[in-house]
Amino acid sequence: AGDAHTCAQLDNGTVRCWGYNGEGQLGLGDNFELGDDELITSRPTVDLGTSRKVKNLIVGGLGYHNCAVFDDRSIKCWGYNDGSGTLGLGDMENHGDGPNEMGTHLPFLSVGGGRTVKSIVGGSDHTCALLDNNTVKCWGWNLQGQLGYGDKEHRGDNESIDGVPSVNLGAPPRLRITALVNNAPFRKRDGQVWKSIDRLTQKRSRFSTRCGA
């Protein structure tokens, strides 16, 4: 589940999402909420433009984006992308909130080097993927250094992630990746905790405004 939406990976390899949809995170090509006064089956499953089956689905923790890894280890992401490249598509436009943005219009992500994705995790505004050679790539929001590249530059906002390097983890032979809200547990360290809270507050404020709260 994200901040105010939920997605389910169905047993036939498709995806269904419902809830808040202000950023197109339901993948229905509009901004209409689903499930507040209608059955979620009244709208179709997410059109991902491929006959491949979804094997791994992530919903950005307290965020508004989703990514699906297919049975051939290809990947697509949709939803919130404004300002940081959370989707890794080389732009800062939401995908899924308007017509002609889903289906075959939504591109596959290229992680570069002929690599494929084994698994993926999502934070509030960033995403990390474990690749088939056990390296990790991350993209999206990075003002707290959550991408792990030793700087505060976003990745995927104006460049393709296929040119983004792997995170230097000391090359462990086996690993598992986990993403938390924004970057880390909310701990006070040189004021970074307040930056994380401010970022989350901004997103919650936008959600409240759109819902009339």
Side-chain angles (χ1 to χ4, degrees):
D3 186 19
H5 78 289
T6 306
C7 291
Q9 177 183 334
L10 306 183
D11 59 4
N12 63 354
T14 62
V15 173
R16 187 179 295 279
C17 299
W18 61 94
Y20 174 62
N21 193 32
E23 318 298 337
Q25 61 266 50
L26 302 190
L28 297 173
D30 57 44
N31 292 117
F32 301 116
E33 296 175 4
L34 177 62
D36 52 347
D37 58 7
E38 69 279 286
L39 294 174
I40 62 174
T41 53
S42 66
R43 300 292 303 275
T45 56
V46 179
D47 181 5
L48 293 171
T50 176
S51 60
R52 311 296 324 192
K53 293 185 177 182
V54 174
K55 291 299 184 182
N56 182 208
L57 174 69
I58 67 100
V59 181
L62 288 181
Y64 304 134
H65 76 289
N66 317 293
C67 295
V69 180
F70 299 96
D71 55 9
D72 62 350
R73 293 186 173 180
S74 59
I75 178 176
K76 285 191 174 189
C77 299
W78 67 97
Y80 180 78
N81 195 44
D82 184 18
S84 62
T86 309
L87 304 184
L89 295 173
D91 61 40
M92 293 184 285
E93 301 294 328
N94 293 345
H95 290 260
D97 59 349
N100 300 321
E101 293 184 355
M102 296 299 294
T104 56
H105 298 283
L106 183 68
F108 289 96
L109 289 185
S110 172
V111 294
R115 304 262 61 101
T116 58
V117 175
K118 292 172 64 175
S119 63
I120 192 166
V121 294
S124 179
D125 289 304
H126 73 290
T127 310
C128 292
L130 176 63
L131 307 186
D132 61 335
N133 61 350
N134 280 343
T135 61
V136 173
K137 276 195 176 187
C138 296
W139 59 91
W141 185 264
N142 193 38
L143 286 189
Q144 286 77 47
Q146 54 264 62
L147 302 188
Y149 292 117
D151 58 41
K152 297 182 180 181
E153 298 296 323
H154 304 325
R155 302 297 198 284
D157 52 348
N158 56 19
E159 71 275 286
S160 171
I161 63 169
D162 60 5
V164 172
S166 299
V167 179
N168 184 359
L169 299 172
R174 299 177 63 131
L175 57 97
R176 179 180 297 173
I177 52 175
T178 302
L180 301 176
V181 176
N182 268 314
N183 64 318
F186 286 152
R187 296 180 298 176
K188 187 174 182 180
R189 186 179 63 186
D190 298 329
Q192 288 188 4
V193 62
W194 305 120
K195 293 180 182 178
S196 294
I197 291 175
D198 285 347
R199 180 67 173 162
L200 184 58
T201 301
Q202 290 171 8
K203 296 182 75 176
R204 286 192 180 280
S205 176
R206 182 173 66 251
F207 170 69
S208 297
T209 300
R210 293 193 179 188
C211 292

